[in-house]
Amino acid sequence: MRKTHSNIYVRTAVATLMASSAIGMSVPAFAQAAAEGDNDEIVVTAQKREQNLQDVPVAITAIGTEKLDQLQVNEFADVVKFLPSVTIQQGGPGFAQVYFRGVASGENANHSTSLPTVGTYLDEMPITTIQGALDIHAYDLARVEALAGPQGTLYGASSMAGTLKLVTNAPDTSGFYGNVGVEINNVAHGDFGSVFEGFINAPLSDRAALRLVGWYRDDGGYIDNIPGSRTYATSGITQNNAALVEKNYNDAETYGARLALGIELNDSWTIKPTLMGQVQKTEGSYARERSGQNSGNYQIVQYNPESSKDKWIQAAMTIEGKIGNWDMTLTGGHLRRKTNTESDYSDYGYFYDALSGYGAYWYDNAGDPVSPNQYIQGIDRYRKSFAEFRVSSPQDASLRFIGGLFWQRQTHNIEQNYIIDNIADAITVPGTDSNIWLTKQLRTDRDYAAFGELSFDVTDKLTLTGGARLYKYDNSLIGFFGYSDGYSSRTGVAACFTTTGATLRDNPTGTLAPADVAGSPCTNVDKSTSDTDAIYKVNATYKINDDALVYATWSRGYRPGGVNRRGTLPPYGPDELDNYELGWKTTFGAFRFNGAVYQLDWNNIQLSFLGANGLSEVRNAGIARIRGAEFDVGYRNGGFSINAGFSYNDAKIRRDFCAIANPQFDCTIDVDLDGSGAIDRNNEINDTLAPSGSRLPVTAKFKGNVVARYEFPVAAWNGHFQVAANHTGSRRSDLRPFEAGIKGKLDAYTTVDLSFGVKNDQWSIEAFATNVLDELGVVNTGVSCIETVCGDPDGGTALGGTFYDTLIKPRIIGLKFSRDF
């Protein structure tokens, strides 16, 4: 079933602004000086042990508790603004796809397509679900660490292009303290919003403490659902959205809590259990509609309810200790997530009917036509479990080792109901009320690994490091997708297996085998794929002096293969990324300058796209090369500081991308389409999806930010004024030239944020404005149309399709108060 941009929006609430914390250091961007003085160290855990940021030969951005608050972080996308190497693509809050250094081919993030290229961690636990990372409310974080480039040896699958780590503040036995905060804000073109949040840290004894954190946020909407109507060509039935017309209808609500314990069993061993959960509810769409019917910047015409409820709970435990002088860590966790979604899919019915008389297929039990209006109700259930054991030798020795074992299992129970009300029983998917289409599948992804890194100090200045990860993945997809046998004689129920093993279409008098996935009528996909391989890393670091080092790295990352749900297609294999990087980290008094230049070779790329019948397909389609550079600079003198980060990425494919990959990389050569060993069963020419030299989509060539802050006394208080500017360059909307021409490019945009406030030992008061100039920035774009009938994206025609642009948030003006105790 064709799934377009407008209906893949899974509505989750916007992560809330963070109030000032009673503790925690301020950590500027990765190359910048610590706010508290030249002697302060920025401690990170990028290499799975605590280290000074300036001693780690990896390109890292670290933003800490206070700095996150100072930067007016309003949602996950706001963090990305200050990570020069990172790009975010989303159809609204939640289920965002994150990319490092331009490693993006335009994935459609369908539930049966590729895993992400970036791994996301909450403390020790990987939280990258099959369809993307959790949209975590970011209050009371110790820091966010962004590790650019492949992190495969230590972090494994889906850290092919980089890793994001969200590190929470741990319980503290030093004393009882806490913080409460409140915020009132207003979004331009929309409503008021509010935030309430707080935490307490309470010692239970001299060896145990707990930390309890809670938050609630109400986000005002700013997209209007305006009146609209349409008449279906075949039946003449007219549809309108009068019951759903509403101003500012994309509001959101988020609430959750975290409980963490820290227990020192003795002088050598600690145990840290945590429990965290969140509920996010949203209404409406986070995109504007760009069509002939409507051209308003913050307006849309939707004919069916759109909403989501995303709730999840995560439990984790880490045990740390020593055996002799070796450090031991045992960590594990379990995540459960459930999302209920409603999506408007009426565009599909309207344009298909106008093009090919699609509405003639929809009738009731009396044979009379019904409205082709279509909508989706989805229920997705995720479960993820992991465990890791690792050991680390003494870090003051000249020969050092860190390594361990890793296991992970994640499942996605997929239910997507495509509904046309009142259709006849004969064309309704069995077991449903009025489904024209049902997807009910269970996807399971399993990962196993042994990993290690060995470092040797050749001299006092030169260190060599080698690393490896031996991995195995075993991924499967089973269940049902498609129509009833009364509607299609080839797909859906007709393709289900009978008790003889043949499909119903090949054995029409046979008996359907029992369904393997509860809630489905039968099974028409049951496939798995697995592989065992190894990836490696080599690094040389030369420490010029205590304030400067240079490094050279070759590293490899990978992403597991998976299963295409269309039975005639073979599974897709893993893709790999080779990174060749030269970097430096330097400090000159109050000035710091860090940077890296690199080349990334991306091989056997997993390219996902809509294939025949609008079903998502993944092909290993080709290779690409990305050449780029990152720079971060910072200066602090007294109360004045200025920090800047910039990235440049020139990302292009090096050979033609063919719809069906072949060793010759010649798209005019027919190839084995279904993996059977026979050449293209339809004798069709292999299409060229994109020619060599095409620029990879999503990521701008240039991205940068500058933050200037001045702190000064105001009577008995400490005052501050801050200005932050962020620029994102123009981006290609799709790798494929034809589709990119339909959608249009994503234009460059620049935002400016301002804040002014005062604080003392207990109180903090701040006024702020984000996106002061009310810039209209587009982060994602898509179109609802049928195959090749899309029209001009700046105008639209009767068959021109409807274009949807997901926008950055408009200007927000707010006032927040917090109190430490």
Side-chain angles (χ1 to χ4, degrees):
M1 201 69 166
R2 185 179 182 92
K3 197 164 189 178
T4 55
H5 177 81
S6 65
N7 58 67
I8 64 172
Y9 299 155
V10 183
R11 318 297 187 209
T12 55
V14 180
T16 64
L17 276 160
M18 289 166 287
S20 298
S21 174
I23 62 170
M25 62 183 169
S26 174
V27 184
F30 84 75
Q32 300 161 1
E36 286 81 3
D38 294 338
N39 294 325
D40 287 320
E41 292 186 349
I42 302 172
V43 177
V44 296
T45 55
Q47 295 187 315
K48 300 211 170 186
R49 55 183 178 266
E50 291 188 349
Q51 294 175 281
N52 179 5
L53 175 66
Q54 290 300 100
D55 293 334
V56 182
V58 176
I60 310 173
T61 304
I63 307 176
T65 303
E66 284 191 55
K67 198 68 179 178
L68 286 166
D69 185 55
Q70 293 170 6
L71 294 174
Q72 309 303 331
V73 171
N74 188 31
E75 56 181 315
F76 191 60
D78 285 343
V79 179
V80 172
K81 287 197 305 184
F82 298 96
L83 304 176
S85 298
V86 184
T87 300
I88 189 171
Q89 184 182 40
Q90 59 187 145
F95 295 90
Q97 297 298 309
V98 181
Y99 305 100
F100 273 84
R101 292 181 171 177
V103 182
S105 61
E107 292 85 349
N108 61 21
N110 185 276
H111 46 73
S112 58
T113 58
S114 303
L115 287 164
T117 61
V118 174
T120 306
Y121 277 69
L122 177 60
D123 294 321
E124 294 281 353
M125 182 172 180
I127 56 170
T128 308
T129 59
I130 289 169
Q131 233 174 308
L134 299 178
D135 188 7
I136 293 181
H137 176 100
Y139 179 60
D140 196 46
L141 290 180
R143 62 189 176 274
V144 175
E145 297 179 17
L147 288 63
Q151 307 297 323
T153 52
L154 290 181
Y155 292 96
S158 290
S159 283
M160 182 176 75
T163 301
L164 280 173
K165 294 189 68 176
L166 311 178
V167 182
T168 61
N169 282 312
D172 178 11
T173 60
S174 67
F176 180 89
Y177 56 85
N179 171 272
V180 292
V182 61
E183 175 189 322
I184 302 296
N185 60 58
N186 178 258
V187 59
H189 321 285
D191 282 338
F192 283 89
S194 60
V195 181
F196 303 90
E197 52 198 357
F199 78 88
I200 59 170
N201 183 92
L204 303 177
S205 70
D206 59 350
R207 287 187 176 271
L210 66 80
R211 196 177 190 96
L212 179 62
V213 186
W215 57 89
Y216 172 86
R217 179 175 182 135
D218 178 27
D219 289 296
Y222 51 89
I223 300 288
D224 300 335
N225 193 20
I226 65 173
S229 65
R230 53 173 46 147
T231 299
Y232 291 94
T234 301
S235 64
I237 294 173
T238 298
Q239 176 186 27
N240 68 66
N241 66 343
L244 299 174
V245 170
E246 183 181 350
K247 287 184 63 65
N248 311 322
Y249 91 130
N250 63 323
D251 55 340
E253 182 183 41
T254 304
Y255 52 90
R258 175 170 61 91
L259 174 64
L261 292 174
I263 304 170
E264 298 176 11
L265 301 177
N266 54 41
D267 291 340
S268 300
W269 290 87
T270 62
I271 182 170
K272 300 175 182 177
T274 62
L275 183 66
M276 185 174 182
Q278 181 174 276
V279 177
Q280 298 176 313
K281 301 176 183 178
T282 70
E283 301 288 342
S285 171
Y286 285 80
R288 71 166 177 181
E289 182 174 321
R290 176 167 45 101
S291 69
Q293 184 174 0
N294 169 51
S295 59
N297 285 338
Y298 298 98
Q299 295 179 337
I300 197 169
V301 181
Q302 296 290 273
Y303 292 88
N304 293 287
E306 296 209 314
S307 68
S308 76
K309 182 179 181 181
D310 181 7
K311 59 181 181 180
W312 55 267
I313 187 167
Q314 179 241 13
M317 180 179 292
T318 299
I319 301 172
E320 297 176 305
K322 285 183 176 292
I323 298 180
N325 59 357
W326 282 60
D327 293 322
M328 304 284 176
T329 301
L330 176 62
T331 182
H334 183 71
L335 169 71
R336 292 194 178 192
R337 180 186 190 186
K338 180 182 179 182
T339 62
N340 295 79
T341 59
E342 295 179 302
S343 302
D344 185 9
Y345 205 48
S346 59
D347 291 342
Y348 179 85
Y350 175 73
F351 289 110
Y352 214 134
D353 186 39
L355 175 70
S356 59
Y358 174 77
Y361 297 110
W362 314 130
Y363 51 87
D364 60 21
N365 285 328
D368 297 323
V370 298
S371 171
N373 173 56
Q374 193 169 158
Y375 57 95
I376 306 171
Q377 294 179 346
I379 304 175
D380 293 270
R381 298 173 176 89
Y382 306 85
R383 292 189 179 186
K384 186 183 186 84
S385 299
F386 97 104
E388 181 175 291
F389 171 73
R390 64 178 183 268
V391 297
S392 178
S393 66
Q395 296 306 298
D396 55 358
S398 59
L399 182 65
R400 301 177 298 281
F401 172 78
I402 183 172
L405 302 172
F406 176 85
W407 167 84
Q408 175 179 267
R409 184 179 189 272
Q410 54 181 330
T411 63
H412 181 186
N413 190 315
I414 307 156
E415 180 178 334
Q416 298 289 313
N417 299 282
Y418 292 72
I419 301 170
I420 299 177
D421 290 330
N422 303 316
I423 57 174
D425 295 341
I427 57 175
T428 297
V429 176
T432 68
D433 291 334
S434 199
N435 277 32
I436 188 60
W437 175 285
L438 172 68
T439 299
K440 184 61 177 174
Q441 299 169 332
L442 180 65
R443 173 174 175 171
T444 305
D445 290 48
R446 309 166 187 86
D447 299 286
Y448 315 87
F451 62 92
E453 288 190 358
L454 189 66
S455 298
F456 177 63
D457 296 331
V458 180
T459 68
D460 291 341
K461 294 182 178 293
L462 177 63
T463 300
L464 299 179
T465 299
R469 189 179 188 98
L470 175 65
Y471 68 84
K472 174 183 173 67
Y473 68 81
D474 185 2
N475 301 335
S476 62
L477 183 69
I478 187 171
F480 173 86
F481 71 101
Y483 304 101
S484 73
D485 59 341
Y487 177 72
S488 172
S489 61
R490 295 191 56 83
T491 61
V493 173
C496 282
F497 305 117
T498 62
T499 53
T500 65
T503 63
L504 185 63
R505 69 168 174 256
D506 294 331
N507 181 24
T509 62
T511 302
L512 287 172
D516 291 288
V517 178
S520 61
C522 48
T523 299
N524 58 16
V525 60
D526 184 3
K527 283 193 171 184
S528 63
T529 183
S530 63
D531 192 20
T532 301
D533 207 339
I535 56 172
Y536 305 96
K537 169 186 175 181
V538 178
N539 172 273
T541 302
Y542 187 78
K543 196 162 187 178
I544 300 170
N545 54 45
D546 290 341
D547 297 321
L549 66 80
V550 294
Y551 67 87
T553 297
W554 170 76
S555 59
R556 174 172 288 176
Y558 79 101
R559 181 169 50 167
V563 175
N564 274 299
R565 62 176 173 169
R566 183 187 293 277
T568 57
L569 296 177
Y572 52 92
D575 51 359
E576 293 183 335
L577 190 73
D578 286 315
N579 175 48
Y580 307 89
E581 181 173 334
L582 295 173
W584 61 92
K585 295 189 175 183
T586 61
T587 306
F588 305 99
F591 178 76
R592 290 193 183 186
F593 176 42
N594 293 357
V597 294
Y598 48 83
Q599 175 175 299
L600 304 172
D601 289 334
W602 190 3
N603 300 300
N604 214 27
I605 296 173
Q606 295 177 10
L607 179 68
S608 58
F609 59 95
L610 292 176
N613 305 118
L615 289 177
S616 297
E617 300 180 8
V618 181
R619 312 274 192 168
N620 295 103
I623 61 176
R625 171 165 290 171
I626 301 151
R627 288 174 171 160
E630 302 162 353
F631 305 99
D632 262 313
V633 295
Y635 174 78
R636 183 177 181 88
N637 185 7
F640 175 75
S641 64
I642 185 167
N643 304 304
F646 308 95
S647 70
Y648 174 83
N649 289 285
D650 184 19
K652 297 178 180 178
I653 61 173
R654 298 183 63 203
R655 293 176 179 168
D656 291 352
F657 269 23
C658 307
I660 308 166
N662 59 75
Q664 294 84 8
F665 292 95
D666 183 350
C667 300
T668 65
I669 298 176
D670 290 343
V671 296
D672 179 4
L673 179 66
D674 59 5
S676 65
I679 295 300
D680 190 349
R681 57 189 171 87
N682 293 321
N683 196 29
E684 296 172 349
I685 297 298
N686 191 4
D687 290 336
T688 301
L689 296 179
S692 176
S694 297
R695 180 178 163 189
L696 291 178
V698 179
T699 300
K701 277 192 175 183
F702 177 80
K703 181 185 177 188
N705 69 83
V706 178
V707 181
R709 184 178 178 89
Y710 181 60
E711 298 176 351
F712 50 89
V714 180
W717 298 61
N718 296 316
H720 72 266
F721 176 76
Q722 179 175 287
V723 57
N726 295 270
H727 176 79
T728 299
S730 63
R731 291 136 291 145
R732 189 183 178 110
S733 60
D734 199 291
L735 174 65
R736 300 161 295 174
F738 178 78
E739 286 76 5
I742 292 171
K743 298 176 185 177
K745 72 174 184 178
L746 306 180
D747 291 331
Y749 63 89
T750 302
T751 63
V752 177
D753 304 339
L754 299 174
S755 64
F756 170 79
V758 295
K759 66 178 182 178
N760 59 21
D761 292 339
Q762 289 186 318
W763 290 95
S764 175
I765 306 171
E766 185 175 46
F768 67 90
T770 59
N771 193 8
V772 174
L773 303 178
D774 203 20
E775 181 82 348
L776 189 73
V778 178
V779 297
N780 196 9
T781 191
V783 58
S784 291
C785 62
I786 305 303
E787 307 302 337
T788 60
V789 301
C790 299
D792 179 4
D794 294 322
T797 66
L799 292 179
T802 303
F803 297 83
Y804 296 93
D805 296 328
T806 306
L807 308 173
I808 63 172
K809 275 201 167 184
R811 178 178 57 247
I812 297 176
I813 298 175
L815 184 65
K816 57 184 180 180
F817 305 84
S818 68
R819 188 182 189 279
D820 298 335
F821 58 87

